[in-house]
Amino acid sequence: MVKKKLPVGIDDFKEVIQNDYYFVDKSMLINELLDKKSKVTLLPRPRRFGKTLNMSMLNYFFSIENRENNRKLFEGLNISKTDKMEYAGEYPVIYISLKDIKFRSWMECFGALKNLISNLFQSKIYIRESLNEIQIKNFNDILMRNENADYTNALKDLSSYLESYYKKKVIILIDEYDTPLVTAHSQGYYDEAIFFFRNFLSAALKGNPYLEFSVLTGILRVAKESIFSGLNNLVVSTILDNDFNYFGLTEDEVEELLKYYELEYELEDVKKWYNGYRFGKRLVYNPWSLINFASKNELNPYWVNTSDNSLIKELLDKNDSKVIDDLKAVFSGNEIEEVITENIIFSDLEDVDTIWSLMLFSGYLTYDRFEISEITGAKTYFLKIPNYEVQSFFKNTFIKEYSHGKTAMYFKMLEDLYKGDVKKFEYKFKELYLSAISYHDSGDSEKYYHHFMLGLLLTLGDKYIVTSNRESGYGRYDIALEPKDKKNFGLIFEFKIGDKNSIHEKAKEALVQINEKKYDVAMKNNGISKVIKIGMAFSGKDVAIESEIN
C-alpha cells in the first residue's frame, strides 16, 4: 500500500486535504470556538505546535468566499458530523499571519507590514466597486502602499467594507500576533512596534461594530495593559488551561501515526524524545518533531533547531546565578519550583525571573503539578525539561558556554574522564580552563568554581546521575556523578580555593577530605565498585588537581 505523504513544512489546510497528506483531525476546535463564542480569543501555544494549520482550517471553514468548494474540504472530518456545519461558509473572513514579520529595524518591519496589509486588500479587491469615493481612496491608498495610508485602522476599515458588501459581520483571524514584538524587543525597536500594534489591534478588536468574533494565536499571553490595553472582551486560554486543547499530538494520535508508517516499534524512544508537554490535563507530543521523525525515521532534535531562541538566549546571557543554578537542576533531571506569571509584559523581560514563564510558554519547560498559596493565591509550578529533544538544546547551550570554540577537545576531555584516564582529563581540562576563565570572571568564592564545574560536567547527564551538595558519609560532597551503568567509574569532586603557591596543597587537602568524610559510601552502597576521587583547587587561571581510584 502506498502511504500518504507527510506534510513536512506545509501549514495550509486546503493543500493538506486536497493533496491527501497525512492529517490529524483537529476540526473540533471549530466546535469549541462556536460553543464558547467569545468576542476575542487568544490561544498562546509554543511554536510549531500546529497553530498556523489550525488557523488556516478556521479560515477555510468560515470563509464565505468559495464556500461550496471549501465545505468539501471538511467531508469526513469530525466537525462534519455536528450541527456546526451550518456555520461553514457563512462569514467574510480577514486572515493574516505575522509569523514572517521579523526584521532588524522598525523601518524594515513597517515596510513588510505595509506589504502584508496591501496584499490583504488586494485579495478583497472585488469589493471596491461597492465603496463610496472616500472609501475607494482609503482602499487605494492601502493598495498602493502610500505613505499617508491609514494602516493603523486598516483591519477595522476592511471589516467595515466587507460587512457592508456581504451584510454579515466579519471574523478576524490573526496568526502569530506576537512575532513582530518578540523580534522588535531583541532588535531594539520595541517602543515603535508596541505603539503601532497596540493601536492596530485595538482598532480591529475593541468596539469594532463590524466584528463577529476574532481568534489570535501566538506564544505569549501579553498583559492587557500592554498590547491589549483597554480590550475588555479578551478571553485567553494558555497551555495551563483545559480549553481549546487541539494543539500538539496526543499519545493515541502518535500511536496511530507510527502504526500507519510501520514505526510502532519506535514508540518508547519517540516518547523519550518528543513527549512530555502538558497542555491542561493532557500530555502531548511535539507535532513538528513527530512529522520529521516519521519522514526520516531518525531521532534528532528537529524542533529546537528551527525555533527562535533569541529571548531565551538573551536571558541566559545575563548569567544570573540563581537562574544558572536552577537550569543546572532541571538539566540534571530535577524539578524546580517557580511562580509563573501568565500575563507577560515585554518590559518585564529585563527581569530574569520572567525566564521561567517564558520557558514554560515557549515549550522549553513543562510542569507536573502546581500548588496555590493560601496566603497570596500565587501558583507555584514544579517545572522540568519535557523530553530529550529539549534537553539537547540545554546540553548544546552548556557545551557552547564551556568549550569556548574547542568543542572537540571538550568532548575528548569528558571521554577521558568517562574512561577513567584522569591524567589525560587533567591535561585537557587545564588547557580548556585557560580559555574559558577570565581573571575578571573568577573570584575568591568557591561557589564560582563549583558553578563552573557543575555546568561543564552536566553534559555527561546521559551516562551519569549528576548531583551537587548532597550528603554522603560524614558530610556533603561538592559534585558526584553516579554512573547509570554500574560497571563504569563513579566520580566525586571536591573543590578548594587558594593562592597560586598553595593550590597544590589545597588540592591534596580536598582529596583527603573525600576519603576522610567517606563521600563514596552512598555510591558504593548503590553497587558502584570503582570510584574516581578528584580534589581540585583554584586560584584565578591556575588550577591544581589530585586524584585516586579505588
Side-chain angles (χ1 to χ4, degrees):
M1 182 182 75
V2 177
K3 303 292 186 184
K4 292 184 178 183
K5 295 175 291 183
L6 283 155
V8 178
I10 300 173
D11 50 24
D12 181 83
F13 175 77
K14 182 178 180 180
E15 184 178 354
V16 170
I17 298 299
Q18 287 190 337
N19 291 292
D20 198 30
Y21 284 99
Y22 190 93
F23 178 68
V24 178
D25 189 349
K26 302 290 183 179
S27 63
M28 291 302 283
L29 170 63
I30 299 165
N31 188 70
E32 187 168 349
L33 281 168
L34 290 170
D35 279 347
K36 292 186 167 62
K37 202 70 179 289
S38 302
K39 198 70 173 178
V40 182
T41 302
L42 173 60
L43 302 174
R45 297 293 186 275
R47 188 164 281 113
R48 303 281 186 176
F49 269 77
K51 296 191 299 293
T52 299
L53 182 58
N54 276 347
M55 290 290 270
S56 175
M57 177 181 69
L58 297 181
N59 178 36
Y60 285 110
F61 182 84
F62 289 111
S63 181
I64 202 168
E65 300 173 12
N66 301 314
R67 57 192 298 180
E68 293 307 319
N69 288 333
N70 288 344
R71 284 176 67 94
K72 294 177 183 177
L73 299 175
F74 294 87
E75 291 177 357
L77 299 186
N78 292 331
I79 192 65
S80 69
K81 303 165 190 175
T82 73
D83 59 1
K84 299 303 192 300
M85 285 303 294
E86 66 181 277
Y87 294 94
E90 288 297 310
Y91 297 95
V93 176
I94 296 173
Y95 173 45
I96 61 170
S97 175
L98 303 180
K99 66 176 182 177
D100 294 323
I101 307 297
K102 296 180 283 190
F103 295 91
R104 294 183 179 179
S105 69
W106 172 242
M107 182 178 296
E108 292 176 290
C109 175
F110 190 54
L113 283 167
K114 289 194 291 186
N115 290 339
L116 182 68
I117 296 169
S118 174
N119 291 337
L120 175 64
F121 273 60
Q122 177 67 46
S123 70
K124 311 293 184 185
I125 198 167
Y126 61 87
I127 67 172
R128 186 170 57 177
E129 62 187 32
S130 66
L131 305 179
N132 62 40
E133 289 185 12
I134 295 176
Q135 292 171 330
I136 289 174
K137 182 181 184 308
N138 290 339
F139 193 101
N140 288 340
D141 282 343
I142 294 283
L143 203 61
M144 302 304 294
R145 303 171 175 82
N146 291 338
E147 289 298 321
N148 62 345
D150 187 1
Y151 298 101
T152 299
N153 290 294
L155 296 187
K156 181 179 181 180
D157 288 343
L158 185 57
S159 61
S160 167
Y161 306 155
L162 287 167
E163 193 269 347
S164 177
Y165 185 87
Y166 286 108
K167 310 304 181 192
K168 291 186 175 183
K169 289 189 176 181
V170 175
I171 294 173
I172 296 178
L173 306 173
I174 303 176
D175 187 35
E176 301 285 6
Y177 84 98
D178 57 344
T179 296
L181 294 171
V182 172
T183 305
H185 181 271
S186 66
Q187 297 298 322
Y189 59 90
Y190 177 76
D191 288 343
E192 294 97 325
I194 194 68
F195 181 81
F196 174 81
F197 280 103
R198 182 188 292 122
N199 295 327
F200 178 69
L201 294 176
S202 292
L205 307 178
K206 178 187 175 183
N208 182 351
Y210 318 107
L211 180 66
E212 179 70 15
F213 67 86
S214 179
V215 181
L216 298 88
T217 69
I219 294 175
L220 304 177
R221 170 180 174 166
V222 182
K224 290 182 180 179
E225 60 266 33
S226 180
I227 192 170
F228 295 124
S229 177
L231 189 62
N232 298 320
N233 56 354
L234 176 67
V235 172
V236 184
S237 179
T238 71
I239 60 173
L240 306 181
D241 304 320
N242 292 310
D243 297 332
F244 302 109
N245 278 323
Y246 296 94
F247 302 86
L249 300 178
T250 66
E251 181 126 14
D252 288 344
E253 290 167 341
V254 170
E255 288 183 6
E256 186 177 341
L257 184 149
L258 294 180
K259 184 177 181 180
Y260 178 83
Y261 289 102
E262 300 176 358
L263 296 168
E264 60 266 37
Y265 64 92
E266 298 274 18
L267 179 59
E268 289 306 311
D269 285 336
V270 166
K271 182 182 296 187
K272 174 186 174 183
W273 270 79
Y274 308 123
N275 192 15
Y277 300 94
R278 180 175 293 279
F279 288 5
K281 293 181 179 179
R282 286 185 175 182
L283 277 177
V284 298
Y285 290 72
N286 182 322
W288 174 261
S289 297
L290 254 295
I291 291 171
N292 277 276
F293 163 74
S295 175
K296 300 176 183 178
N297 193 15
E298 292 179 7
L299 292 163
N300 285 314
Y302 298 105
W303 177 72
V304 292
N305 290 335
T306 61
S307 297
D308 183 357
N309 304 313
S310 60
L311 285 180
I312 303 293
K313 290 177 179 176
E314 181 181 333
L315 287 170
L316 288 177
D317 286 344
K318 293 181 183 296
N319 284 321
D320 180 86
S321 60
K322 182 182 182 304
V323 171
I324 298 300
D325 285 347
D326 286 347
L327 277 177
K328 290 170 181 175
V330 295
F331 189 83
S332 301
N334 300 314
E335 291 182 333
I336 57 172
E337 300 176 31
E338 299 292 342
V339 174
I340 294 300
T341 303
E342 291 190 57
N343 290 321
I344 294 176
I345 303 174
F346 276 85
S347 57
D348 287 347
L349 297 179
E350 299 302 321
D351 182 355
V352 291
D353 288 340
T354 308
I355 193 171
W356 308 117
S357 299
L358 182 62
M359 282 192 169
L360 177 60
F361 293 127
S362 299
Y364 293 90
L365 295 177
T366 189
Y367 70 99
D368 272 334
R369 65 197 187 282
F370 63 85
E371 294 177 355
I372 302 176
S373 169
E374 295 181 0
I375 300 173
T376 65
K379 288 184 179 180
T380 298
Y381 286 80
F382 293 79
L383 305 176
K384 65 179 184 178
I385 292 176
N387 52 45
Y388 190 79
E389 180 180 28
V390 178
Q391 188 179 35
S392 72
F393 164 75
F394 288 110
K395 182 175 182 177
N396 290 333
T397 299
F398 283 118
I399 289 171
K400 183 178 179 181
E401 179 177 352
Y402 293 104
S403 68
H404 284 261
K406 297 183 177 181
T407 306
M409 178 180 288
Y410 178 87
F411 283 125
K412 288 179 180 177
M413 176 192 73
L414 295 181
E415 187 176 344
D416 291 337
L417 191 61
Y418 179 71
K419 292 178 178 178
D421 194 331
V422 183
K423 290 301 179 184
K424 286 185 178 179
F425 161 78
E426 180 178 340
Y427 174 79
K428 293 184 180 70
F429 174 81
K430 287 182 176 180
E431 184 171 343
L432 193 67
Y433 181 76
L434 281 172
S435 302
I437 292 292
S438 164
Y439 281 116
H440 301 293
D441 292 334
S442 59
D444 58 2
S445 170
E446 183 183 315
K447 186 177 180 181
Y448 171 84
Y449 299 102
H450 188 134
H451 285 167
F452 174 82
M453 290 301 301
L454 182 57
L456 182 146
L457 294 168
L458 278 173
T459 54
L460 287 170
D462 292 347
K463 303 292 185 182
Y464 295 90
I465 299 170
V466 185
T467 54
S468 173
N469 287 322
R470 295 278 181 89
E471 288 188 10
S472 180
Y474 300 111
R476 297 170 68 92
Y477 54 74
D478 281 331
I479 297 175
L481 287 82
E482 183 173 325
K484 295 178 181 179
D485 183 344
K486 296 184 186 299
K487 297 191 297 293
N488 290 333
F489 291 101
L491 299 162
I492 295 177
F493 290 83
E494 186 66 27
F495 310 121
K496 301 291 182 183
I497 58 171
D499 57 39
K500 190 171 184 177
N501 297 319
S502 68
I503 55 173
H504 292 284
E505 288 303 315
K506 289 287 185 179
K508 292 177 183 178
E509 182 183 322
L511 183 59
V512 168
Q513 182 175 323
I514 294 173
N515 287 316
E516 288 184 348
K517 298 287 186 179
K518 298 185 182 302
Y519 289 154
D520 61 344
V521 164
M523 238 183 254
K524 292 288 181 67
N525 289 341
N526 287 338
I528 310 302
S529 60
K530 300 177 292 184
V531 178
I532 302 174
K533 304 168 185 178
I534 301 176
M536 304 180 76
F538 300 89
S539 175
K541 280 179 166 278
D542 295 305
V543 59
I545 300 174
E546 295 288 335
S547 66
E548 65 179 49
I549 301 175
N550 54 37

